[in-house]
Short mmCIF file of all heavy atoms in Angstrom, two decimals:
data_model
loop_
_atom_site.label_atom_id
_atom_site.label_comp_id
_atom_site.label_asym_id
_atom_site.label_seq_id
_atom_site.Cartn_x
_atom_site.Cartn_y
_atom_site.Cartn_z
N MET I 1182 -14.54 22.11 -5.09
CA MET I 1182 -13.87 21.97 -6.36
C MET I 1182 -14.14 20.59 -6.95
O MET I 1182 -14.35 20.47 -8.15
CB MET I 1182 -12.37 22.22 -6.18
CG MET I 1182 -11.62 22.23 -7.48
SD MET I 1182 -12.17 23.44 -8.70
CE MET I 1182 -11.56 24.93 -8.01
N VAL I 1183 -14.12 19.56 -6.12
CA VAL I 1183 -14.36 18.20 -6.62
C VAL I 1183 -15.75 18.11 -7.23
O VAL I 1183 -15.93 17.56 -8.32
CB VAL I 1183 -14.20 17.16 -5.49
CG1 VAL I 1183 -14.66 15.79 -5.94
CG2 VAL I 1183 -12.76 17.11 -5.02
N LEU I 1184 -16.74 18.67 -6.56
CA LEU I 1184 -18.11 18.59 -7.08
C LEU I 1184 -18.24 19.31 -8.42
O LEU I 1184 -18.93 18.83 -9.32
CB LEU I 1184 -19.10 19.17 -6.06
CG LEU I 1184 -19.21 18.37 -4.75
CD1 LEU I 1184 -20.13 19.08 -3.78
CD2 LEU I 1184 -19.69 16.96 -5.02
N LEU I 1185 -17.58 20.45 -8.57
CA LEU I 1185 -17.62 21.16 -9.86
C LEU I 1185 -16.90 20.38 -10.95
O LEU I 1185 -17.36 20.33 -12.09
CB LEU I 1185 -17.00 22.55 -9.71
CG LEU I 1185 -17.76 23.53 -8.84
CD1 LEU I 1185 -16.96 24.81 -8.65
CD2 LEU I 1185 -19.12 23.83 -9.44
N THR I 1186 -15.78 19.75 -10.60
CA THR I 1186 -15.02 18.99 -11.58
C THR I 1186 -15.80 17.78 -12.08
O THR I 1186 -15.71 17.40 -13.23
CB THR I 1186 -13.68 18.54 -10.96
OG1 THR I 1186 -12.99 19.70 -10.50
CG2 THR I 1186 -12.82 17.80 -11.97
N LYS I 1187 -16.64 17.21 -11.22
CA LYS I 1187 -17.41 16.03 -11.60
C LYS I 1187 -18.44 16.33 -12.68
O LYS I 1187 -18.97 15.42 -13.30
CB LYS I 1187 -18.04 15.38 -10.38
CG LYS I 1187 -16.96 14.71 -9.51
CD LYS I 1187 -17.53 13.93 -8.37
CE LYS I 1187 -18.02 12.60 -8.73
NZ LYS I 1187 -17.21 11.50 -9.00
N PHE I 1188 -18.73 17.60 -12.94
CA PHE I 1188 -19.59 17.97 -14.07
C PHE I 1188 -18.90 17.67 -15.40
O PHE I 1188 -19.54 17.47 -16.41
CB PHE I 1188 -19.96 19.46 -14.03
CG PHE I 1188 -21.04 19.79 -13.05
CD1 PHE I 1188 -20.76 20.57 -11.95
CD2 PHE I 1188 -22.33 19.31 -13.22
CE1 PHE I 1188 -21.75 20.89 -11.04
CE2 PHE I 1188 -23.34 19.62 -12.31
CZ PHE I 1188 -23.04 20.41 -11.22
N TYR I 1189 -17.58 17.67 -15.39
CA TYR I 1189 -16.80 17.52 -16.63
C TYR I 1189 -16.08 16.18 -16.73
O TYR I 1189 -15.58 15.83 -17.80
CB TYR I 1189 -15.77 18.65 -16.72
CG TYR I 1189 -16.42 20.00 -16.67
CD1 TYR I 1189 -16.44 20.73 -15.49
CD2 TYR I 1189 -17.04 20.54 -17.79
CE1 TYR I 1189 -17.05 21.97 -15.43
CE2 TYR I 1189 -17.67 21.77 -17.73
CZ TYR I 1189 -17.67 22.48 -16.55
OH TYR I 1189 -18.29 23.69 -16.49
N SER I 1190 -15.98 15.45 -15.63
CA SER I 1190 -15.24 14.19 -15.63
C SER I 1190 -15.90 13.21 -14.66
O SER I 1190 -16.40 13.62 -13.61
CB SER I 1190 -13.79 14.43 -15.20
OG SER I 1190 -13.10 13.22 -15.09
N ASP I 1191 -15.89 11.95 -15.01
CA ASP I 1191 -16.46 10.94 -14.11
C ASP I 1191 -15.54 10.63 -12.94
O ASP I 1191 -16.00 10.20 -11.89
CB ASP I 1191 -16.73 9.65 -14.87
CG ASP I 1191 -17.81 9.81 -15.90
OD1 ASP I 1191 -18.71 10.66 -15.71
OD2 ASP I 1191 -17.77 9.09 -16.91
N ASN I 1192 -14.24 10.84 -13.12
CA ASN I 1192 -13.26 10.50 -12.10
C ASN I 1192 -12.43 11.72 -11.72
O ASN I 1192 -11.93 12.41 -12.60
CB ASN I 1192 -12.31 9.40 -12.59
CG ASN I 1192 -13.06 8.14 -12.94
OD1 ASN I 1192 -13.84 7.65 -12.14
ND2 ASN I 1192 -12.85 7.61 -14.13
N VAL I 1193 -12.28 11.92 -10.43
CA VAL I 1193 -11.44 13.00 -9.92
C VAL I 1193 -10.40 12.37 -9.01
O VAL I 1193 -10.73 11.58 -8.12
CB VAL I 1193 -12.26 14.04 -9.12
CG1 VAL I 1193 -11.36 15.12 -8.54
CG2 VAL I 1193 -13.35 14.64 -9.99
N ILE I 1194 -9.13 12.69 -9.26
CA ILE I 1194 -8.03 12.17 -8.44
C ILE I 1194 -7.35 13.34 -7.74
O ILE I 1194 -6.98 14.32 -8.38
CB ILE I 1194 -6.99 11.43 -9.31
CG1 ILE I 1194 -7.64 10.26 -10.04
CG2 ILE I 1194 -5.83 10.95 -8.44
CD1 ILE I 1194 -6.75 9.61 -11.06
N LEU I 1195 -7.20 13.23 -6.43
CA LEU I 1195 -6.51 14.23 -5.64
C LEU I 1195 -5.28 13.58 -5.02
O LEU I 1195 -5.39 12.53 -4.41
CB LEU I 1195 -7.42 14.76 -4.52
CG LEU I 1195 -6.73 15.68 -3.53
CD1 LEU I 1195 -6.62 17.07 -4.11
CD2 LEU I 1195 -7.42 15.69 -2.21
N VAL I 1196 -4.13 14.18 -5.21
CA VAL I 1196 -2.90 13.73 -4.56
C VAL I 1196 -2.56 14.78 -3.52
O VAL I 1196 -2.35 15.95 -3.85
CB VAL I 1196 -1.74 13.55 -5.56
CG1 VAL I 1196 -0.50 13.04 -4.84
CG2 VAL I 1196 -2.14 12.60 -6.68
N ALA I 1197 -2.52 14.37 -2.25
CA ALA I 1197 -2.33 15.33 -1.16
C ALA I 1197 -1.17 14.91 -0.27
O ALA I 1197 -0.95 13.73 -0.03
CB ALA I 1197 -3.60 15.43 -0.32
N ASN I 1198 -0.45 15.90 0.23
CA ASN I 1198 0.53 15.65 1.28
C ASN I 1198 -0.24 15.51 2.58
O ASN I 1198 -1.34 16.05 2.73
CB ASN I 1198 1.51 16.81 1.39
CG ASN I 1198 2.48 16.84 0.24
OD1 ASN I 1198 2.91 15.81 -0.24
ND2 ASN I 1198 2.83 18.02 -0.21
N ARG I 1199 0.33 14.79 3.51
CA ARG I 1199 -0.32 14.69 4.82
C ARG I 1199 -0.17 16.04 5.50
O ARG I 1199 0.92 16.48 5.80
CB ARG I 1199 0.34 13.58 5.64
CG ARG I 1199 -0.44 13.26 6.89
CD ARG I 1199 0.01 11.98 7.53
NE ARG I 1199 -0.20 10.81 6.71
CZ ARG I 1199 -1.28 10.03 6.76
NH1 ARG I 1199 -2.26 10.35 7.55
NH2 ARG I 1199 -1.36 8.96 6.01
N SER I 1200 -1.28 16.70 5.71
CA SER I 1200 -1.24 18.02 6.33
C SER I 1200 -2.37 18.14 7.32
O SER I 1200 -3.21 17.24 7.44
CB SER I 1200 -1.35 19.11 5.26
OG SER I 1200 -2.61 19.04 4.64
N SER I 1201 -2.42 19.25 8.01
CA SER I 1201 -3.45 19.44 9.04
C SER I 1201 -4.78 19.90 8.45
O SER I 1201 -5.80 19.84 9.13
CB SER I 1201 -2.97 20.45 10.08
OG SER I 1201 -2.69 21.68 9.45
N CYS I 1202 -4.80 20.31 7.18
CA CYS I 1202 -6.08 20.71 6.58
C CYS I 1202 -6.89 19.46 6.24
O CYS I 1202 -6.38 18.35 6.20
CB CYS I 1202 -5.86 21.58 5.35
SG CYS I 1202 -5.27 20.70 3.90
N ARG I 1203 -8.15 19.63 5.97
CA ARG I 1203 -9.04 18.49 5.75
C ARG I 1203 -9.33 18.27 4.26
O ARG I 1203 -10.33 17.66 3.91
CB ARG I 1203 -10.33 18.74 6.51
CG ARG I 1203 -10.11 18.81 8.02
CD ARG I 1203 -11.36 19.11 8.81
NE ARG I 1203 -12.45 18.25 8.41
CZ ARG I 1203 -13.72 18.66 8.32
NH1 ARG I 1203 -14.04 19.90 8.61
NH2 ARG I 1203 -14.67 17.83 7.96
N THR I 1204 -8.43 18.72 3.39
CA THR I 1204 -8.66 18.62 1.95
C THR I 1204 -8.91 17.18 1.51
O THR I 1204 -9.86 16.90 0.78
CB THR I 1204 -7.47 19.20 1.17
OG1 THR I 1204 -7.28 20.56 1.56
CG2 THR I 1204 -7.69 19.11 -0.32
N ALA I 1205 -8.08 16.26 1.96
CA ALA I 1205 -8.22 14.86 1.54
C ALA I 1205 -9.55 14.28 2.02
O ALA I 1205 -10.27 13.64 1.26
CB ALA I 1205 -7.06 14.03 2.07
N GLU I 1206 -9.89 14.52 3.27
CA GLU I 1206 -11.14 14.01 3.84
C GLU I 1206 -12.37 14.57 3.12
O GLU I 1206 -13.28 13.82 2.74
CB GLU I 1206 -11.20 14.38 5.32
CG GLU I 1206 -12.50 14.01 6.01
CD GLU I 1206 -12.60 14.59 7.42
OE1 GLU I 1206 -11.59 15.09 7.95
OE2 GLU I 1206 -13.71 14.54 7.96
N ILE I 1207 -12.38 15.87 2.90
CA ILE I 1207 -13.51 16.51 2.23
C ILE I 1207 -13.62 16.05 0.78
O ILE I 1207 -14.72 15.76 0.28
CB ILE I 1207 -13.38 18.05 2.32
CG1 ILE I 1207 -13.54 18.48 3.79
CG2 ILE I 1207 -14.40 18.74 1.43
CD1 ILE I 1207 -13.12 19.91 4.05
N SER I 1208 -12.49 15.94 0.11
CA SER I 1208 -12.49 15.50 -1.29
C SER I 1208 -12.97 14.06 -1.43
O SER I 1208 -13.72 13.72 -2.34
CB SER I 1208 -11.09 15.64 -1.89
OG SER I 1208 -10.70 16.99 -1.90
N ARG I 1209 -12.57 13.22 -0.51
CA ARG I 1209 -13.01 11.81 -0.52
C ARG I 1209 -14.53 11.74 -0.35
O ARG I 1209 -15.22 11.01 -1.05
CB ARG I 1209 -12.30 11.03 0.57
CG ARG I 1209 -12.53 9.53 0.48
CD ARG I 1209 -11.72 8.74 1.51
NE ARG I 1209 -10.31 8.70 1.15
CZ ARG I 1209 -9.32 9.23 1.85
NH1 ARG I 1209 -9.56 9.85 2.99
NH2 ARG I 1209 -8.08 9.13 1.44
N LYS I 1210 -15.06 12.53 0.59
CA LYS I 1210 -16.51 12.54 0.82
C LYS I 1210 -17.27 13.06 -0.40
O LYS I 1210 -18.43 12.69 -0.61
CB LYS I 1210 -16.85 13.38 2.05
CG LYS I 1210 -16.48 12.69 3.34
CD LYS I 1210 -16.85 13.52 4.54
CE LYS I 1210 -16.49 12.80 5.83
NZ LYS I 1210 -16.82 13.58 7.02
N ALA I 1211 -16.62 13.92 -1.19
CA ALA I 1211 -17.25 14.47 -2.39
C ALA I 1211 -17.13 13.53 -3.58
O ALA I 1211 -17.65 13.82 -4.65
CB ALA I 1211 -16.64 15.83 -2.72
N GLY I 1212 -16.43 12.39 -3.40
CA GLY I 1212 -16.36 11.40 -4.45
C GLY I 1212 -15.05 11.29 -5.18
O GLY I 1212 -14.95 10.55 -6.17
N ALA I 1213 -14.02 11.99 -4.73
CA ALA I 1213 -12.72 11.91 -5.39
C ALA I 1213 -11.96 10.66 -4.93
O ALA I 1213 -12.14 10.19 -3.82
CB ALA I 1213 -11.88 13.14 -5.07
N HIS I 1214 -11.11 10.16 -5.81
CA HIS I 1214 -10.14 9.12 -5.43
C HIS I 1214 -8.96 9.88 -4.85
O HIS I 1214 -8.38 10.73 -5.52
CB HIS I 1214 -9.72 8.31 -6.65
CG HIS I 1214 -8.62 7.35 -6.37
ND1 HIS I 1214 -8.83 6.19 -5.65
CD2 HIS I 1214 -7.31 7.38 -6.66
CE1 HIS I 1214 -7.68 5.56 -5.54
NE2 HIS I 1214 -6.74 6.26 -6.15
N VAL I 1215 -8.61 9.61 -3.60
CA VAL I 1215 -7.59 10.39 -2.90
C VAL I 1215 -6.35 9.53 -2.64
O VAL I 1215 -6.45 8.42 -2.13
CB VAL I 1215 -8.14 10.94 -1.57
CG1 VAL I 1215 -7.07 11.71 -0.82
CG2 VAL I 1215 -9.35 11.83 -1.82
N ILE I 1216 -5.20 10.07 -3.02
CA ILE I 1216 -3.90 9.47 -2.73
C ILE I 1216 -3.22 10.41 -1.74
O ILE I 1216 -3.05 11.59 -2.03
CB ILE I 1216 -3.05 9.35 -4.01
CG1 ILE I 1216 -3.75 8.48 -5.04
CG2 ILE I 1216 -1.66 8.82 -3.67
CD1 ILE I 1216 -3.12 8.53 -6.42
N VAL I 1217 -2.85 9.88 -0.58
CA VAL I 1217 -2.23 10.72 0.45
C VAL I 1217 -0.78 10.29 0.65
O VAL I 1217 -0.51 9.12 0.91
CB VAL I 1217 -2.99 10.62 1.80
CG1 VAL I 1217 -2.33 11.49 2.85
CG2 VAL I 1217 -4.44 11.02 1.62
N HIS I 1218 0.13 11.24 0.51
CA HIS I 1218 1.54 10.98 0.80
C HIS I 1218 1.73 10.91 2.31
O HIS I 1218 1.03 11.57 3.06
CB HIS I 1218 2.42 12.11 0.25
CG HIS I 1218 2.47 12.16 -1.23
ND1 HIS I 1218 2.90 13.26 -1.91
CD2 HIS I 1218 2.15 11.25 -2.18
CE1 HIS I 1218 2.86 13.03 -3.20
NE2 HIS I 1218 2.39 11.82 -3.39
N GLU I 1219 2.71 10.14 2.72
CA GLU I 1219 3.01 10.04 4.15
C GLU I 1219 3.62 11.34 4.70
O GLU I 1219 3.56 11.58 5.87
CB GLU I 1219 3.96 8.87 4.40
CG GLU I 1219 3.31 7.53 4.15
CD GLU I 1219 2.07 7.31 5.00
OE1 GLU I 1219 2.09 7.63 6.20
OE2 GLU I 1219 1.06 6.82 4.45
N GLY I 1220 4.21 12.13 3.85
CA GLY I 1220 4.79 13.40 4.27
C GLY I 1220 4.96 14.27 3.05
O GLY I 1220 4.56 13.90 1.94
N ASN I 1221 5.56 15.42 3.21
CA ASN I 1221 5.77 16.32 2.09
C ASN I 1221 6.89 15.75 1.21
O ASN I 1221 8.03 15.65 1.63
CB ASN I 1221 6.13 17.71 2.59
CG ASN I 1221 6.16 18.71 1.47
OD1 ASN I 1221 6.27 18.36 0.29
ND2 ASN I 1221 6.06 19.97 1.82
N LYS I 1222 6.56 15.38 0.00
CA LYS I 1222 7.53 14.78 -0.91
C LYS I 1222 7.99 15.75 -2.00
O LYS I 1222 8.64 15.35 -2.93
CB LYS I 1222 6.94 13.52 -1.53
CG LYS I 1222 6.62 12.48 -0.48
CD LYS I 1222 6.26 11.18 -1.11
CE LYS I 1222 5.95 10.19 0.00
NZ LYS I 1222 6.69 8.99 -0.08
N GLY I 1223 7.61 17.00 -1.89
CA GLY I 1223 8.05 18.01 -2.85
C GLY I 1223 7.09 18.18 -4.01
O GLY I 1223 6.13 17.43 -4.18
N LYS I 1224 7.37 19.20 -4.84
CA LYS I 1224 6.47 19.57 -5.93
C LYS I 1224 6.26 18.47 -6.97
O LYS I 1224 5.20 18.32 -7.50
CB LYS I 1224 7.02 20.80 -6.65
CG LYS I 1224 6.95 22.06 -5.86
CD LYS I 1224 7.48 23.20 -6.70
CE LYS I 1224 7.51 24.49 -5.93
NZ LYS I 1224 8.06 25.57 -6.73
N GLY I 1225 7.30 17.70 -7.27
CA GLY I 1225 7.19 16.71 -8.34
C GLY I 1225 6.46 15.44 -7.96
O GLY I 1225 6.06 14.67 -8.83
N ALA I 1226 6.26 15.19 -6.69
CA ALA I 1226 5.67 13.92 -6.25
C ALA I 1226 4.19 13.80 -6.61
O ALA I 1226 3.74 12.73 -7.00
CB ALA I 1226 5.86 13.75 -4.75
N ALA I 1227 3.42 14.87 -6.49
CA ALA I 1227 1.99 14.79 -6.77
C ALA I 1227 1.71 14.43 -8.22
O ALA I 1227 0.97 13.48 -8.50
CB ALA I 1227 1.28 16.08 -6.38
N PRO I 1228 2.31 15.13 -9.21
CA PRO I 1228 2.05 14.73 -10.60
C PRO I 1228 2.55 13.33 -10.92
O PRO I 1228 1.91 12.59 -11.66
CB PRO I 1228 2.80 15.77 -11.44
CG PRO I 1228 3.11 16.89 -10.52
CD PRO I 1228 3.08 16.36 -9.13
N LYS I 1229 3.68 12.94 -10.33
CA LYS I 1229 4.21 11.60 -10.57
C LYS I 1229 3.25 10.54 -10.05
O LYS I 1229 2.95 9.56 -10.73
CB LYS I 1229 5.57 11.46 -9.89
CG LYS I 1229 6.19 10.09 -10.06
CD LYS I 1229 7.53 10.02 -9.36
CE LYS I 1229 8.11 8.62 -9.43
NZ LYS I 1229 9.33 8.49 -8.67
N ASN I 1230 2.74 10.72 -8.85
CA ASN I 1230 1.80 9.75 -8.28
C ASN I 1230 0.47 9.75 -9.02
O ASN I 1230 -0.17 8.72 -9.15
CB ASN I 1230 1.61 9.98 -6.79
CG ASN I 1230 2.76 9.43 -6.00
OD1 ASN I 1230 3.13 8.28 -6.15
ND2 ASN I 1230 3.36 10.27 -5.19
N TRP I 1231 0.05 10.90 -9.50
CA TRP I 1231 -1.17 10.95 -10.31
C TRP I 1231 -0.98 10.12 -11.58
O TRP I 1231 -1.81 9.30 -11.93
CB TRP I 1231 -1.52 12.39 -10.69
CG TRP I 1231 -2.67 12.45 -11.63
CD1 TRP I 1231 -3.99 12.46 -11.29
CD2 TRP I 1231 -2.63 12.49 -13.06
NE1 TRP I 1231 -4.76 12.49 -12.42
CE2 TRP I 1231 -3.94 12.51 -13.52
CE3 TRP I 1231 -1.59 12.50 -13.98
CZ2 TRP I 1231 -4.26 12.55 -14.87
CZ3 TRP I 1231 -1.92 12.54 -15.33
CH2 TRP I 1231 -3.23 12.57 -15.76
N PHE I 1232 0.15 10.31 -12.25
CA PHE I 1232 0.43 9.56 -13.47
C PHE I 1232 0.49 8.06 -13.19
O PHE I 1232 -0.09 7.25 -13.92
CB PHE I 1232 1.75 10.03 -14.10
CG PHE I 1232 2.11 9.26 -15.34
CD1 PHE I 1232 1.47 9.55 -16.54
CD2 PHE I 1232 3.04 8.25 -15.29
CE1 PHE I 1232 1.79 8.84 -17.69
CE2 PHE I 1232 3.36 7.53 -16.44
CZ PHE I 1232 2.73 7.83 -17.63
N LEU I 1233 1.16 7.67 -12.11
CA LEU I 1233 1.25 6.25 -11.77
C LEU I 1233 -0.12 5.66 -11.46
O LEU I 1233 -0.41 4.53 -11.80
CB LEU I 1233 2.20 6.05 -10.59
CG LEU I 1233 3.67 6.32 -10.88
CD1 LEU I 1233 4.48 6.25 -9.59
CD2 LEU I 1233 4.22 5.35 -11.91
N SER I 1234 -1.00 6.44 -10.82
CA SER I 1234 -2.33 5.94 -10.51
C SER I 1234 -3.14 5.72 -11.77
O SER I 1234 -3.97 4.82 -11.84
CB SER I 1234 -3.07 6.89 -9.58
OG SER I 1234 -3.51 8.04 -10.26
N ARG I 1235 -2.90 6.53 -12.81
CA ARG I 1235 -3.64 6.39 -14.07
C ARG I 1235 -3.11 5.24 -14.91
O ARG I 1235 -3.83 4.72 -15.75
CB ARG I 1235 -3.57 7.69 -14.88
CG ARG I 1235 -4.13 8.90 -14.20
CD ARG I 1235 -5.54 8.74 -13.70
NE ARG I 1235 -6.42 8.31 -14.78
CZ ARG I 1235 -7.48 7.53 -14.62
NH1 ARG I 1235 -7.81 7.10 -13.44
NH2 ARG I 1235 -8.22 7.19 -15.65
N SER I 1236 -1.87 4.84 -14.71
CA SER I 1236 -1.28 3.80 -15.54
C SER I 1236 -1.61 2.40 -15.02
O SER I 1236 -1.34 1.42 -15.72
CB SER I 1236 0.24 3.99 -15.63
OG SER I 1236 0.84 3.81 -14.37
N GLN I 1237 -2.20 2.30 -13.84
CA GLN I 1237 -2.57 1.00 -13.31
C GLN I 1237 -3.98 0.64 -13.75
O GLN I 1237 -4.82 1.52 -13.94
CB GLN I 1237 -2.49 1.02 -11.78
CG GLN I 1237 -1.08 1.25 -11.30
CD GLN I 1237 -1.00 1.27 -9.79
OE1 GLN I 1237 -1.96 0.99 -9.11
NE2 GLN I 1237 0.16 1.64 -9.27
N PRO I 1238 -4.26 -0.65 -13.94
CA PRO I 1238 -5.60 -1.08 -14.38
C PRO I 1238 -6.68 -0.60 -13.43
O PRO I 1238 -6.49 -0.60 -12.21
CB PRO I 1238 -5.52 -2.61 -14.38
CG PRO I 1238 -4.07 -2.94 -14.32
CD PRO I 1238 -3.37 -1.77 -13.72
N GLN I 1239 -7.81 -0.19 -13.96
CA GLN I 1239 -8.95 0.24 -13.17
C GLN I 1239 -9.68 -0.96 -12.62
O GLN I 1239 -9.79 -1.98 -13.27
CB GLN I 1239 -9.90 1.10 -14.01
CG GLN I 1239 -9.25 2.37 -14.53
CD GLN I 1239 -8.86 3.31 -13.42
OE1 GLN I 1239 -9.67 3.57 -12.54
NE2 GLN I 1239 -7.65 3.83 -13.47
N ARG I 1240 -10.21 -0.85 -11.41
CA ARG I 1240 -10.95 -1.96 -10.79
C ARG I 1240 -12.41 -1.84 -11.05
O ARG I 1240 -13.01 -0.89 -11.21
CB ARG I 1240 -10.71 -1.96 -9.30
CG ARG I 1240 -9.28 -2.21 -8.95
CD ARG I 1240 -9.11 -2.18 -7.47
NE ARG I 1240 -7.74 -1.82 -7.22
CZ ARG I 1240 -7.29 -1.41 -6.08
NH1 ARG I 1240 -8.09 -1.29 -5.07
NH2 ARG I 1240 -6.04 -1.12 -5.92
#
């Protein structure tokens, strides 16, 4: 999914809960900026952290 999204956007951000699947690892290798929660923070946490990541200055 990350590779397909990169056709339409230069930056891909993935917000993931810490889980046993390898989504964060695979997405990072595909070029996504990955934010990993320490645990399951509920449905609202991912969009909130995505928004906060976009509001900070780019390096």
Side-chain angles (χ1 to χ4, degrees):
M1182 186 58 74
V1183 171
L1184 294 176
L1185 293 174
T1186 304
K1187 289 186 80 75
F1188 282 114
Y1189 303 100
S1190 176
D1191 293 331
N1192 300 309
V1193 177
I1194 300 171
L1195 172 80
V1196 182
N1198 287 324
R1199 190 167 296 267
S1200 65
S1201 59
C1202 73
R1203 297 178 49 218
T1204 302
E1206 175 189 348
I1207 293 167
S1208 297
R1209 189 175 286 116
K1210 286 182 180 179
H1214 173 73
V1215 178
I1216 300 168
V1217 179
H1218 291 163
E1219 292 302 316
N1221 189 340
K1222 298 189 180 234
K1224 290 182 183 178
K1229 179 180 175 185
N1230 282 307
W1231 174 86
F1232 178 78
L1233 291 173
S1234 75
R1235 300 306 305 148
S1236 65
Q1237 296 180 7
Q1239 299 296 312
R1240 297 179 205 164

